[in-house]
Amino acid sequence: LKRQIPIRTFSDWNDVEPGFFEADLVAHCGVDPSGRFLNTLVLIDIATSWTECFALLQKGEAEVIAAIQKAQDLLPIAILGFDSDNGSEFINELLYSYCLTEKITFTRSRPYKKNDQAHVEQKNWTHVRHLFGYDRIDDVTLIPLMNDLYANEWSLYQNHFCPGMKLVEKQRVNAKYQKRYDAPKTPYQRLLDSPHIDEDTKSWIRDVHQTLDPFILKQVIEKKLTRIFRQIRVTSNVRQRL
């Protein structure tokens, strides 16, 4: 199966159009990787840096495909490409067949080369660890709460109001690399600047942007996080007593 999925390295993302995504799973296992715990699937569009996250109970192929289908409904752009690491949750017949059916270009990184997925690795911190830290999360009832936060306030806040720079040029001069970055832009701004996005989509995303207030979004995020961490502590206390 791996022979049928071409390898894409970090240097192969130049001049890519919106719709090609890197994917990775973040484990909420704390310091104990045994037993059942929640995972977060992170999807980032390489061209615009638009990112969506999804909480999963297990990192099985069926759960990953279900999250990709949800992403198709949430994203302002269609998924044209899907790039992952070599984990069995991604490299399997079910996901491979799904991508063939949906006409999604399926690629993978080189084994043990995390730089090949540098874009999504960065978002693992800014979009998941920054939000939930490294606590163990294994309470199934938290999945809808986490997905509600991810899909609504957190996605809107990050994609509409948090700018980032993109590497434009990298040159080797003697023993060092010289890097040049573009001006910081939010994923929302990069989407509007893209010539590959139709005007109807741009008009729709502008209308959504006009309804948003980053301060209100931040307040709601804090309230929902407080509720989630309160439940995590309750679950942890119950486990310790048992």
Side-chain angles (χ1 to χ4, degrees):
L1 181 58
K2 283 186 177 181
R3 296 193 191 99
Q4 300 177 63
I5 303 174
I7 288 177
R8 185 189 290 269
T9 70
F10 64 90
S11 62
D12 295 331
W13 288 119
N14 295 329
D15 300 324
V16 67
E17 66 179 278
F20 287 84
F21 287 80
E22 276 186 1
D24 196 17
L25 275 175
V26 180
H28 299 287
C29 60
V31 296
D32 181 11
S34 64
R36 185 182 66 178
F37 49 84
L38 274 57
N39 294 267
T40 291
L41 174 67
V42 183
L43 295 173
I44 175 174
D45 175 55
I46 301 302
T48 65
S49 297
W50 195 283
T51 305
E52 298 289 348
C53 301
F54 304 89
L56 312 177
L57 174 58
Q58 301 177 25
K59 58 177 186 177
E61 55 265 32
E63 289 77 11
V64 171
I65 291 176
I68 295 174
Q69 291 171 331
K70 291 179 183 177
Q72 293 276 29
D73 296 331
L74 289 174
L75 289 165
I77 50 180
I79 298 179
L80 304 177
F82 184 88
D83 183 78
S84 72
D85 59 26
N86 293 270
S88 60
E89 65 273 16
F90 297 121
I91 308 302
N92 55 76
E93 290 286 353
L94 199 60
L95 182 56
Y96 179 72
S97 299
Y98 174 81
C99 289
L100 285 179
T101 302
E102 298 296 321
K103 295 181 173 56
I104 297 173
T105 301
F106 191 7
T107 57
R108 62 185 177 89
S109 63
R110 294 171 294 178
Y112 311 111
K113 299 288 185 180
K114 282 191 173 292
N115 281 348
D116 286 354
Q117 287 209 305
H119 301 88
V120 73
E121 289 287 348
Q122 180 191 44
K123 299 305 178 184
N124 288 348
W125 161 248
T126 60
H127 285 59
V128 182
R129 295 303 186 191
H130 180 71
L131 196 63
F132 294 110
Y134 292 86
D135 288 350
R136 182 179 180 87
I137 307 177
D138 52 14
D139 187 348
V140 178
T141 62
L142 287 173
I143 293 178
L145 298 180
M146 292 173 64
N147 279 328
D148 173 61
L149 177 57
Y150 277 147
N152 295 297
E153 292 78 19
W154 190 240
S155 173
L156 294 172
Y157 179 75
Q158 288 285 346
N159 290 317
H160 284 263
F161 299 106
C162 295
M165 298 184 298
K166 292 178 71 71
L167 183 65
V168 176
E169 185 181 19
K170 180 179 178 181
Q171 291 183 340
R172 185 168 184 172
V173 180
N174 298 323
K176 295 183 179 181
Y177 283 99
Q178 291 183 350
K179 299 179 181 180
R180 185 168 62 88
Y181 296 87
D182 64 3
K185 292 182 181 180
T186 64
Y188 161 75
Q189 291 171 316
R190 295 187 186 280
L191 189 147
L192 294 183
D193 291 343
S194 174
H196 301 284
I197 306 297
D198 62 83
E199 288 303 320
D200 288 341
T201 301
K202 290 182 179 180
S203 177
W204 170 74
I205 203 69
R206 284 193 195 97
D207 292 341
V208 172
H209 186 78
Q210 292 300 318
T211 66
L212 302 176
D213 184 326
F215 298 102
I216 295 177
L217 288 173
K218 196 69 170 148
Q219 290 173 355
V220 178
I221 289 169
E222 293 300 327
K223 288 180 180 178
K224 291 187 175 182
L225 273 179
T226 299
R227 180 185 176 188
I228 290 172
F229 277 105
R230 185 184 299 121
Q231 190 164 331
I232 291 174
R233 286 194 296 270
V234 170
T235 303
S236 177
N237 290 336
V238 170
R239 187 189 304 112
Q240 290 176 1
R241 287 197 297 269
L242 294 176

